[in-house]
């Protein structure tokens, strides 16, 4: 923990670089200006390409690196943003945007102590900057919160299950004023989820109303018990005459989730789905999304599948909005219940023994088998390395082999890694999610790997399409459907997130 009275020294400026041809400088500035236009138009990948071109022409301009760091942050490439921001501060130690960007990236990665250090360094240069002071204050609050939680933490062996000890009787007396849907049964004999209840619940959510806490907790408790019975890798059989749909990140965009079901049909025994993680956070209708998915999982346990994403975790939910949303719409106890529930989610699914579906990607170690994935003890928060971490965080790369992750967590893996993994495990294809794609999907690694992302116009700012992938059991050939965002009520994304993120 940093000393609150730590003296922050601004590094000395390096010696000036050799002069660059004025024509080359002008070309670099033109590339930067074009990148700025793409950034403002929210074409962040194109902006990164433009800033990279400017850097190739003039590698000694701190602004280019800081701007590229900002574009990386928009695409959640926080590791790459840290590297660029560090280069900006190396070139110009008094360029505060370099410290800003690095602080933003560290904060997004949950490295609050490092973020505080960056922001304090920036404050030495610009002590009266109001945005900087706000960010520093928020970051220091997170450091204090972590310190408090660490002081109260108990060993995992002594931790008590909230769901197993939860007394739902305090919610049994349902107020007469409650006009929403009710489950069949009663507290004494047990509650049963029905399609009628789920249909009515979806309509309540459309109208921006919640369901009663008694039924909300019941859904969580029943779903948790179901997940506990499942392996870490679920085998899914798709008959020759049936189809199966895989969706990627939904991220709390409930009205876009409803649109998927409008386009492709509601989940049922004849219309099975797999949702591949990141159900919550960022979008401000995450409660509605997760309750809808859990309810259909309970209705059709063998035909609605859910795999865990990196945002089904304590560290992400605290920062990116889910915790705040649950507390606002229900209560704090439910936050703890969701944490236990998320730790029960399977990590992957294998479709007809031919297609592996997991949220992130492949692994930092060679020789991982499907049996290794089955044996993972997943009932915990995601670790910082290993098979479970990679399954939730890894990304494909155009470069061969294994390289550091642009996110700062997990790794990037090349097409050779994908090919060897598939061949060793008798598989044909990997379907993963985890990354925004402008068309909602992308086919990479010589056709062996698909990324599918199902949150169109992500966070109301990316302008991307959403997509889902449909397989027919007889041939397991992927068929793609893309779709645009639909209107939603006037609640901005990240409405419940940490206020620090509003300035990123």
């Amino acid at each position: 923990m940093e000393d609150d009275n730590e003296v922050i020294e601004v590094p000395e400026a390096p010696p000036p670089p050799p002069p660059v041809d004025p024509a080359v400088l002008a070309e670099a500035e033109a590339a930067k200006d074009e990148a700025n236009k793409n950034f403002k138009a929210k074409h962040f990948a194109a902006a990164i390409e433009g800033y990279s071109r400017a850097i190739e022409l003039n590698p000694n301009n701190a602004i280019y690196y800081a701007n590229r760091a900002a574009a990386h942050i928009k695409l959640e490439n926080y590791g790459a943003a840290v590297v660029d921001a560090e280069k900006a501060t190396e070139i110009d130690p008094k360029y505060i945007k370099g410290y800003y960007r690095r602080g933003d990236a560290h904060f997004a990665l949950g490295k609050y102590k490092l973020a505080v250090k960056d922001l304090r360094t920036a404050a030495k240069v610009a002590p009266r900057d109001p945005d900087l002071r706000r960010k520093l204050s928020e970051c220091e609050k997170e450091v204090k919160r972590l310190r408090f939680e660490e002081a109260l933490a108990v060993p995992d062996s002594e931790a008590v299950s909230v769901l197993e000890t939860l007394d739902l009787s305090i919610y049994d007396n349902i107020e007469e004023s409650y006009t929403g849907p009710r489950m069949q049964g009663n507290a004494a004999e047990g509650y049963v989820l029905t399609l009628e209840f789920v249909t009515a619940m979806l309509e309540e959510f459309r109208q921006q109303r919640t369901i009663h806490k008694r039924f909300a907790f019941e859904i969580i408790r029943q779903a948790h018990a179901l997940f506990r019975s499942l392996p870490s890798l679920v085998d899914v059989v798709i008959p020759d005459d049936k189809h199966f749909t895989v969706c990627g990140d939904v991220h709390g965009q409930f009205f876009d989730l409803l649109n998927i079901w409008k386009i492709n049909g509601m989940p049922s025994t004849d219309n099975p789905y797999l949702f591949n993680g990141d159900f919550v956070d960022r979008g401000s209708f995450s409660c509605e999304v997760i309750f809808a998915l859990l309810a259909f999982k309970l209705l059709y346990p063998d035909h609605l599948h859910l795999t865990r994403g990196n945002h089904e975790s304590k560290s992400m939910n605290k920062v990116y909005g889910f915790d705040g949303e649950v507390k606002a719409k229900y209560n704090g106890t439910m936050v703890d219940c969701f944490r236990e529930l998320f730790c029960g989610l399977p990590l992957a699914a294998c479709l007809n023994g031919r297609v592996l579906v997991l949220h992130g990607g492949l692994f930092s170690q060679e020789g991982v088998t499907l049996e290794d994935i089955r044996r993972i003890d997943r009932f915990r928060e995601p670790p910082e390395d290993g098979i479970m971490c990679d399954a939730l965080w890894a990304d494909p790369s155009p470069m061969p082999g294994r390289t550091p992750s642009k996110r700062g967590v997990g790794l990037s893996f090349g097409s050779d890694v994908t090919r060897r993994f598939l061949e060793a495990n008798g598989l044909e294809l990997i379907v993963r999610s985890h990354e925004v794609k402008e068309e909602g999907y992308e086919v990479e690694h010589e056709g062996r790997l698909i990324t599918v992302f199902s949150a169109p116009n992500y966070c109301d700012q990316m302008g991307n399409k959403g997509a889902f992938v449909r397989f027919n059991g007889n041939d397991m050939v992927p068929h793609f459907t893309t779709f645009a965002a639909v209107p939603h009520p006037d609640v901005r994304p990240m409405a419940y997130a940490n206020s620090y993120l509003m300035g990123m």
Side-chain angles (χ1 to χ4, degrees), residues 104-212:
D104 286 349
H106 278 145
F107 188 93
L109 287 167
K111 298 179 179 180
Y112 306 124
K113 297 175 186 178
L114 290 176
V116 165
K117 185 175 182 179
D118 288 329
L119 297 174
R120 286 178 176 171
T121 303
K124 291 285 289 184
V125 179
R128 297 184 179 180
D129 185 308
D131 187 51
L132 174 58
R133 292 171 65 182
R134 177 188 65 80
K135 286 187 172 186
L136 181 56
S137 175
E138 287 292 335
C139 203
E140 288 172 337
K141 286 180 185 176
E142 287 301 313
V143 171
K144 290 177 182 177
R145 177 184 63 76
L146 277 181
R147 183 187 296 157
F148 180 72
E149 288 185 353
E150 288 168 1
L152 295 179
V154 298
D156 290 344
S157 58
E158 299 176 18
V160 177
S161 167
V162 175
L163 279 166
E164 290 178 6
T165 57
L166 183 63
D167 181 10
L168 291 182
S169 66
I170 61 176
Y171 304 110
D172 282 343
N173 292 324
I174 298 172
E175 305 85 354
E176 291 184 7
S177 59
Y178 176 69
T179 59
R182 296 172 182 252
M183 286 185 177
Q184 286 188 0
N186 54 57
E189 299 176 3
Y191 285 104
V192 178
L193 194 75
T194 64
L195 180 58
E196 290 74 18
F197 173 86
V198 176
T199 302
M201 179 183 73
L202 295 181
E203 184 55 33
E204 287 293 289
F205 292 163
R206 285 180 196 270
Q207 302 300 325
Q208 295 184 265
R209 295 190 290 262
T210 60
I211 56 173
H212 195 276

Side-chain angles (χ1 to χ4, degrees), residues 21-82:
D21 186 316
V24 174
L25 290 177
E27 189 178 349
E29 279 294 292
K32 183 259 291 182
D33 292 342
E34 184 63 26
N36 286 349
K37 291 178 183 177
N38 278 317
F39 188 95
K40 290 177 181 177
K42 301 173 184 176
H43 301 313
F44 300 116
I48 288 172
E49 291 179 7
Y51 295 132
S52 298
R53 174 62 178 155
I55 288 167
E56 288 173 8
L57 294 164
N58 179 12
N60 298 306
N61 190 315
I63 295 172
Y64 299 165
Y65 290 96
N67 285 5
R68 191 169 69 176
H72 277 304
I73 287 170
K74 290 295 185 181
L75 291 179
E76 302 175 24
N77 300 334
Y78 302 123
V82 168

